[in-house]
Amino acid sequence: MPKSKLLRAGLLACALLAAQNKQVSDAEVKKVHSSALLIDTHNDITSRTVTGYDIGKNAGDGHTNLAGFRQGGVGAQFFAVYVAASYVNGNHAANRTLEMIDTVRHDIIDKYPNDFVFALTANDIERAHRHGKIAALMGIEGGHAIEDSLRLLRDYYLLGIRYMTLTHSNTNNWADSSGDMDKAGVQHHNGLTDFGKDVVREMNRLGMMVDISHVADKTFWDALEVSTAPPFASHSSARSLSNVPRNMTDEMIGALAKKGGVVQINFACEFLSQATADASKSILPRLMAAREENNRALMEEYRKTVPPATLQDVVAHIDHVAKVGGINAVGIGSDFDGITCVPTGLEDVSKFPNLTRALLEKGYSAEDIRKIYGGNLLRVMRSVEAEARRRNAGSGTQKSE
Ligand SMILES: [Zn+2]
């Protein structure tokens, strides 16, 4: 490094150090937080609303409720249309997908029309925000939801689905998942099959965001190569800070950023902190297996033996992705109500202002924070929408916004 550059780097390091000690007033936190359009791209409360949980009442036993959304200043929420791998057995995946779509529309949007508004586009999100409402959107979690049919994929788009994770933790008939690469007896494909590539192309044509959270590394690289619109990770974090297959390597983050995509940071403690990931190695699979039974003894054991991650870990992941991929490549995908452990200081949807404070203290500007909270994601949505218009131009099926 030449001397002048070295000096500049030194000055920058000093400035950053000083910035880390920055004192931030409550008024400044409030001002910056309310100036941002906060878009969270993954929330699993739908797995509870589908069985009767009322999002309008603060049950106090989860991470998501209406009052919390308001307190946390959430501007738009992508609700997970999560289809567990078990629905593949007996071909119930489409049935489950439709039920989950219904719970977003019936139990959330239609039930609380003064607070939520159904949104399909980047413009819809901004319009809802201007009217003081929370934009509600949907993303499918688990590519097996389409039951290997592009016709179902198109139906889901028409019902309002605007992203789909190509897999959940299970490899399906056309894409490998990060969740079972070392599992014996699973038929893998070395990434995406030819049909899997067709799925990506059809998502591009429709204007559905290609979500690479949960996929195996090779599936990520295949999707990145095939997709003509920027893909994104709706809820993943950085593998160099916590080495789990669900997180992204620096190489992946860099490549995704180069293509205009964004990594939406997941708040699961295991994804945020290596210490948590290591401590939960033996108990987490048992806990997941007993998930449906609500096993209290196991939960108690988990709480006693696994140290939680913290708000500062979330900041560290945001900072890392911003350093590797640039400030335009990072966003928020909390995974609230889909995760076992939440970071201390960022325990539920009402706590987002704590993150704003921590980012300001770290030296992030208001403009940076607005990008992280929603600006970057809106840019990806608009690219995806523009690519769909381009693909459909002249075909007679061009969609209006
Ligand atoms: Zn997930």
Side-chain angles (χ1 to χ4, degrees):
M1 196 184 275
K3 249 185 184 170
S4 62
K5 268 199 175 167
L6 200 65
L7 185 70
R8 224 182 304 151
L11 285 173
L12 187 69
C14 289
L16 281 175
L17 267 179
Q20 274 164 13
N21 299 324
K22 199 177 164 190
Q23 292 290 311
V24 180
S25 69
D26 291 351
E28 192 179 353
V29 172
K30 211 173 165 186
K31 188 175 151 213
V32 172
H33 195 75
S34 61
S35 78
L37 202 179
L38 174 54
I39 305 173
D40 178 355
T41 48
H42 204 85
N43 183 300
D44 272 302
I45 194 61
T46 42
S47 290
R48 302 185 66 193
T49 56
V50 76
T51 56
Y53 177 89
D54 188 340
I55 200 166
K57 296 192 175 117
N58 186 354
D61 62 349
H63 316 147
T64 311
N65 58 76
L66 187 44
F69 272 137
R70 290 303 199 181
Q71 205 182 323
V74 175
Q77 181 67 64
F78 278 83
F79 289 101
V81 169
Y82 165 53
V83 184
S86 56
Y87 289 99
V88 172
N89 307 321
N91 291 339
H92 295 300
N95 175 286
R96 181 63 174 179
T97 308
L98 294 174
E99 289 195 334
M100 294 300 282
I101 289 173
D102 179 74
T103 195
V104 177
R105 300 190 59 167
H106 181 75
D107 302 322
I108 297 175
I109 301 166
D110 291 352
K111 195 165 180 175
Y112 294 101
N114 293 329
D115 295 285
F116 294 106
V117 62
F118 188 38
L120 298 168
T121 63
N123 284 351
D124 284 352
I125 291 176
E126 288 181 331
R127 194 177 309 118
H129 189 62
R130 278 198 301 274
H131 293 158
K133 291 194 176 180
I134 302 161
L137 300 100
M138 295 186 287
I140 286 178
E141 183 165 31
H144 52 275
I146 66 168
E147 296 195 3
D148 308 331
S149 166
L150 296 182
R151 297 192 189 283
L152 293 200
L153 178 70
R154 290 190 285 269
D155 287 333
Y156 296 154
Y157 178 85
L158 286 176
L159 289 171
I161 296 293
R162 286 301 177 265
Y163 77 65
M164 180 170 80
T165 69
L166 300 178
T167 71
H168 188 239
S169 45
N170 56 306
T171 288
N172 55 42
N173 293 332
W174 45 271
D176 288 344
S177 165
S178 66
D180 59 15
M181 287 311 286
D182 52 3
K183 217 184 209 174
V186 176
Q187 172 78 49
H188 288 113
H189 319 289
N190 190 28
L192 284 176
T193 65
D194 286 345
F195 176 73
K197 292 173 183 173
D198 284 344
V199 172
V200 169
R201 288 185 196 105
E202 189 64 359
M203 290 172 80
N204 288 159
R205 193 187 68 82
L206 288 166
M208 191 187 286
M209 288 187 283
V210 175
D211 184 356
I212 54 79
S213 282
H214 281 287
V215 303
D217 290 6
K218 180 60 164 55
T219 307
F220 165 84
W221 291 111
D222 285 356
L224 197 72
E225 193 186 316
V226 173
S227 182
T228 53
F232 85 128
S234 69
H235 60 308
S236 296
S237 300
R239 206 180 292 174
S240 68
L241 299 187
S242 183
N243 187 12
V244 296
R246 270 286 279 108
N247 283 347
M248 295 175 68
T249 65
D250 289 355
E251 205 188 352
M252 290 160 86
I253 293 167
L256 185 66
K258 217 170 151 195
K259 197 149 178 173
V262 60
V263 182
Q264 305 279 101
I265 300 298
N266 187 315
F267 296 174
C269 296
E270 286 80 8
F271 298 175
L272 293 172
S273 153
Q274 191 69 57
T276 312
D278 292 344
S280 67
K281 230 167 214 157
S282 91
I283 189 170
L284 202 61
R286 282 185 287 143
L287 201 64
M288 287 300 164
R291 207 179 187 180
E292 316 284 293
E293 298 147 42
N294 200 4
N295 192 317
R296 278 177 189 214
L298 266 181
M299 256 329 277
E300 199 49 38
E301 189 189 333
Y302 181 94
R303 280 199 193 102
K304 276 189 183 144
T305 55
V306 179
T310 66
L311 170 62
Q312 289 310 323
D313 291 315
V314 176
V315 174
H317 279 261
I318 290 173
D319 207 42
H320 184 79
V321 174
K323 282 202 173 91
V324 174
I327 191 68
N328 297 331
V330 60
I332 305 292
S334 70
D335 210 356
F336 275 136
D337 278 295
I339 52 183
T340 312
C341 167
V342 287
T344 307
L346 205 44
E347 293 88 352
D348 59 62
V349 296
S350 74
K351 303 289 173 63
F352 280 113
N354 292 350
L355 181 59
T356 304
R357 175 182 293 280
L359 288 169
L360 285 168
E361 283 172 354
K362 183 89 183 164
Y364 280 82
S365 69
E367 196 193 335
D368 289 342
I369 292 170
R370 284 192 286 271
K371 283 184 174 183
I372 297 165
Y373 279 9
N376 292 337
L377 198 273
L378 287 174
R379 184 200 70 236
V380 171
M381 283 186 83
R382 290 204 160 97
S383 299
V384 169
E385 291 164 11
E387 175 62 6
R389 279 195 297 273
R390 192 186 70 80
R391 290 275 192 111
N392 291 305
S395 72
T397 54
Q398 189 167 9
K399 290 178 298 290
S400 65
E401 260 204 337

